[in-house]
Amino acid sequence: MSEATKTLRTPGGHLMVLTEGDDLFAELTALALRADIPSASFTGFGFAGKVSFGFFDFDKRDYDPATFENREMTGINGTLAWKDGKPSIHAHGVGGGPDFKVSGGHLLGLVVGRGSLEVTIAVHDTRLERREEASIGANILRLPGA
Amino acid sequence: MSEATKTLRTPGGHLMVLTEGDDLFAELTALALRADIPSASFTGFGFAGKVSFGFFDFDKRDYDPATFENREMTGINGTLAWKDGKPSIHAHGVGGGPDFKVSGGHLLGLVVGRGSLEVTIAVHDTRLERREEASIGANILRLPGA
Amino acid sequence: MSEATKTLRTPGGHLMVLTEGDDLFAELTALALRADIPSASFTGFGFAGKVSFGFFDFDKRDYDPATFENREMTGINGTLAWKDGKPSIHAHGVGGGPDFKVSGGHLLGLVVGRGSLEVTIAVHDTRLERREEASIGANILRLPGA
């Protein structure tokens, strides 16, 4: 399926439906470039074949990662902005397995599993940048004047 | 209370406030029919008297269910489309009990408990259908051209 | 940083970016007053230095609280209305620690930790009030006619 058929223009932005094997971050990046999205907020849910979460270690200035397979993602929340001329995604997610126990955190990556992942994207009209906050080593979304 | 007083038209769609005994899927179905919603994305939170989650078993091609009582639903994410001329809802949810441990998954049903459930519905202007994907036995939201 | 630089007007409402030490409820209250928001729905995610959840005890008619530190909030869902002339916030949230296990419930308060918290606010154009439902001792969002 071509990239364009994975998304639909809506009054508020875009609706994205991903299927098995699709990479969430790659698809959001492609959409941001294709539609030249100044900035956006998104929510999503669906089935992840593989999902990686991270918890930020401020001493190491990096994320301690963990990867889970076959999770029903119950909620993904994120924003889309730009950094160094490229789309910059920040997202968190939570999801459960067959025992309905859930785990989650900062989303490092997600590949859709058997089934689908539906993402609703609300587009904003101001171009926003993410910049690294030197004091903490993490990227922060900058609003105009901030 | 009449059905119409459970929802409010907003610039982006509808706001729904359900109270004890209301069935989330029945109310969303009634709204989709009443307002002739082409398709929509929704988010919700509130108190569930009874909530059922499912985890899809691809061998059985059905959901293994589990039911929980009195859960503070911290997040519900879903979409509304059509299938065989009837509203078709797909939603996931997560919620916790008095120990603040949470569980969640694909939402099979939810009846509101003592308190309320608030749902925010963003309406899209393209009529969308869900169709069963024969290879996996699950319904997939179809975008135009897909 | 001044309050105004923490929020950006978007086509659908506002985008808020909070940083370390910011109090989520205080910032939402200030925005509601400053922008005279009739009512709104919001979603958020980010890093909480301290977050308090409550589970409603209907006998005591109050929340049993629990406080967690340094949680990656994976999802916050809430609404903004008015009560006795003041902004009234109702929100639920869920988040995880370094082990990616998550906990959540009714949100009693949240102070941002090292990093940021991003909140997307969809503004509605009808002024809504929350009123205490005497029979259960909890505040309920009232829609016109309800």
Side-chain angles (χ1 to χ4, degrees):
Chain A
M1 211 183 299
S2 81
E3 260 178 15
T5 59
K6 294 175 184 174
T7 60
L8 171 74
R9 198 76 180 81
T10 63
H14 302 267
L15 180 64
M16 175 182 274
V17 180
L18 303 180
T19 50
E20 191 171 2
D22 285 338
D23 180 299
L24 173 62
F25 281 27
E27 296 293 340
L28 285 170
T29 298
L31 172 65
L33 290 167
R34 193 169 70 239
D36 196 21
I37 295 177
S39 60
S41 302
F42 60 88
T43 60
F45 71 104
F47 196 67
K50 189 177 280 199
V51 56
S52 297
F53 301 123
F55 195 85
F56 201 75
D57 183 320
F58 287 100
D59 292 328
K60 293 197 303 185
R61 291 176 166 246
D62 204 358
Y63 288 94
D64 289 319
T67 298
F68 298 84
E69 296 195 354
N70 295 331
R71 309 295 280 186
E72 285 280 14
M73 297 304 295
T74 57
I76 295 168
N77 286 281
T79 53
L80 213 152
W82 297 81
K83 185 167 192 284
D84 303 328
K86 289 185 287 192
S88 166
I89 298 161
H90 181 207
H92 287 189
V94 68
D99 60 0
F100 305 105
K101 288 180 184 164
V102 296
S103 44
H106 175 95
L107 204 57
L108 293 173
L110 186 156
V111 176
V112 181
R114 284 180 69 176
S116 62
L117 189 86
E118 304 175 22
V119 186
T120 303
I121 300 139
V123 171
H124 312 314
D125 52 9
T126 304
R127 188 177 168 103
L128 297 180
E129 304 276 335
R130 249 183 265 279
R131 288 206 305 268
E132 189 174 307
E133 177 73 44
S135 63
I136 55 175
N139 290 323
I140 304 286
L141 184 62
R142 304 290 169 164
L143 300 185
Chain B
M1 212 184 297
S2 82
E3 260 179 13
T5 59
K6 294 175 185 174
T7 59
L8 171 73
R9 198 76 179 82
T10 64
H14 302 267
L15 179 65
M16 176 181 274
V17 180
L18 303 180
T19 51
E20 190 170 3
D22 285 339
D23 180 299
L24 173 62
F25 281 27
E27 297 293 339
L28 285 170
T29 299
L31 172 64
L33 291 167
R34 192 170 71 240
D36 196 21
I37 294 177
S39 60
S41 302
F42 60 88
T43 58
F45 71 105
F47 196 68
K50 190 177 278 197
V51 57
S52 296
F53 302 123
F55 194 86
F56 201 74
D57 182 321
F58 286 100
D59 293 327
K60 293 196 304 186
R61 290 176 167 246
D62 204 357
Y63 289 95
D64 289 319
T67 298
F68 297 84
E69 297 196 354
N70 296 330
R71 308 297 279 187
E72 285 280 15
M73 298 304 294
T74 57
I76 295 169
N77 286 281
T79 53
L80 213 152
W82 296 82
K83 183 165 193 285
D84 304 328
K86 288 184 288 191
S88 167
I89 298 161
H90 180 208
H92 287 190
V94 68
D99 59 0
F100 305 106
K101 288 179 184 165
V102 297
S103 44
H106 175 96
L107 204 58
L108 293 173
L110 185 157
V111 176
V112 181
R114 285 180 69 175
S116 62
L117 188 86
E118 304 176 22
V119 186
T120 303
I121 300 139
V123 171
H124 312 314
D125 51 9
T126 304
R127 188 178 167 102
L128 297 180
E129 304 277 335
R130 249 183 265 280
R131 288 205 305 268
E132 188 174 309
E133 177 72 44
S135 63
I136 54 174
N139 290 323
I140 303 287
L141 184 61
R142 303 291 169 162
L143 299 185
Chain C
M1 212 183 298
S2 82
E3 261 179 13
T5 58
K6 294 175 185 174
T7 59
L8 171 74
R9 198 76 180 80
T10 63
H14 302 267
L15 180 65
M16 177 182 273
V17 179
L18 303 181
T19 51
E20 191 171 2
D22 284 338
D23 179 299
L24 173 62
F25 282 27
E27 296 293 339
L28 285 170
T29 298
L31 172 65
L33 291 167
R34 193 169 71 240
D36 196 22
I37 295 177
S39 61
S41 302
F42 60 87
T43 58
F45 70 106
F47 195 67
K50 191 177 279 197
V51 56
S52 296
F53 302 123
F55 195 85
F56 201 75
D57 182 321
F58 286 100
D59 293 328
K60 292 197 303 184
R61 291 176 167 247
D62 204 357
Y63 288 95
D64 290 320
T67 298
F68 298 84
E69 297 196 355
N70 296 330
R71 309 296 281 187
E72 285 280 15
M73 298 303 297
T74 57
I76 295 169
N77 286 281
T79 53
L80 213 152
W82 297 81
K83 184 165 193 285
D84 304 326
K86 289 184 288 191
S88 166
I89 298 161
H90 181 207
H92 287 190
V94 67
D99 59 1
F100 305 106
K101 288 180 184 164
V102 296
S103 44
H106 174 96
L107 204 56
L108 294 173
L110 186 157
V111 176
V112 181
R114 284 179 72 174
S116 63
L117 190 86
E118 304 175 22
V119 186
T120 303
I121 299 139
V123 171
H124 312 314
D125 52 8
T126 304
R127 188 177 168 103
L128 297 179
E129 305 276 335
R130 250 183 264 280
R131 287 205 305 268
E132 188 174 307
E133 177 73 43
S135 63
I136 54 175
N139 289 323
I140 303 287
L141 184 61
R142 306 289 170 162
L143 299 184

